[in-house]
Amino acid sequence: MSKPSVLFVCVHNAGRSQMAAAWLSHLAGDRVEVRSAGSAPAGSVNPAAVEAMREVGIDMSAETPKILTIDAVRASDVCITMGCGDTCPVFPGKRYLDWKLEDPAGQGVEAVRPIRDEIKKLVEGLLAEIAPAPPA
């Protein structure tokens, strides 16, 4: 059985979707293939999001926003939009979720921390469903 793949989408691919991808990569290891993208990617990842993730030991400073492509959606089992009105191309057999999350754009790290923590809880729930940890 191939490992599940998840695509996180937000408009700028600079905050929410980057944090979600970083959390899933961190928590799942190699059990899940992780992608993130945006319909109108920013020039760089939100520095407050990078700092908030650094505080929990996850370095996403090398990440760059990527454009959403039909191929990325086609290659993913689960497509998650981040409450930003983005829409993904719809393909049969894919699962689509929309996580309602506050936009961290233009906010300081203090405002990004609760968003980061909410994303972690959502990612943990998703991971338990699609690729639970093997028994010890």
Side-chain angles (χ1 to χ4, degrees), residues 5 73-74 76-79 90-96:
S5 58
V73 178
R74 188 179 286 125
S76 301
D77 299 309
V78 182
C79 299
V90 176
F91 293 101
K94 307 287 178 205
R95 181 172 171 201
Y96 296 89

Side-chain angles (χ1 to χ4, degrees), residues 17-65:
S17 56
Q18 290 283 354
M19 288 191 288
W23 272 123
L24 185 54
S25 294
H26 177 76
L27 295 169
D30 63 358
R31 297 194 325 263
V32 178
E33 188 174 349
V34 182
R35 297 178 182 85
S36 72
S39 56
S44 62
V45 175
N46 180 336
V50 171
E51 180 57 30
M53 294 302 285
R54 183 178 289 121
E55 290 176 353
V56 294
I58 299 172
D59 181 9
M60 56 180 226
S61 61
E63 297 300 322
T64 57

Side-chain angles (χ1 to χ4, degrees), residues 85-103:
D86 261 10
T87 57
C88 286
V90 176
F91 293 101
K94 307 287 178 205
R95 181 172 171 201
Y96 296 89
L97 301 170
D98 184 44
W99 290 352
K100 304 288 186 211
L101 296 161
E102 188 177 341
D103 188 350

Side-chain angles (χ1 to χ4, degrees), residues 100-122:
K100 304 288 186 211
L101 296 161
E102 188 177 341
D103 188 350
Q107 300 193 57
V109 71
E110 311 78 32
V112 174
R113 286 183 189 118
I115 301 167
R116 171 201 66 200
D117 297 343
E118 186 176 355
I119 290 170
K120 181 184 182 196
K121 289 177 192 157
L122 289 166

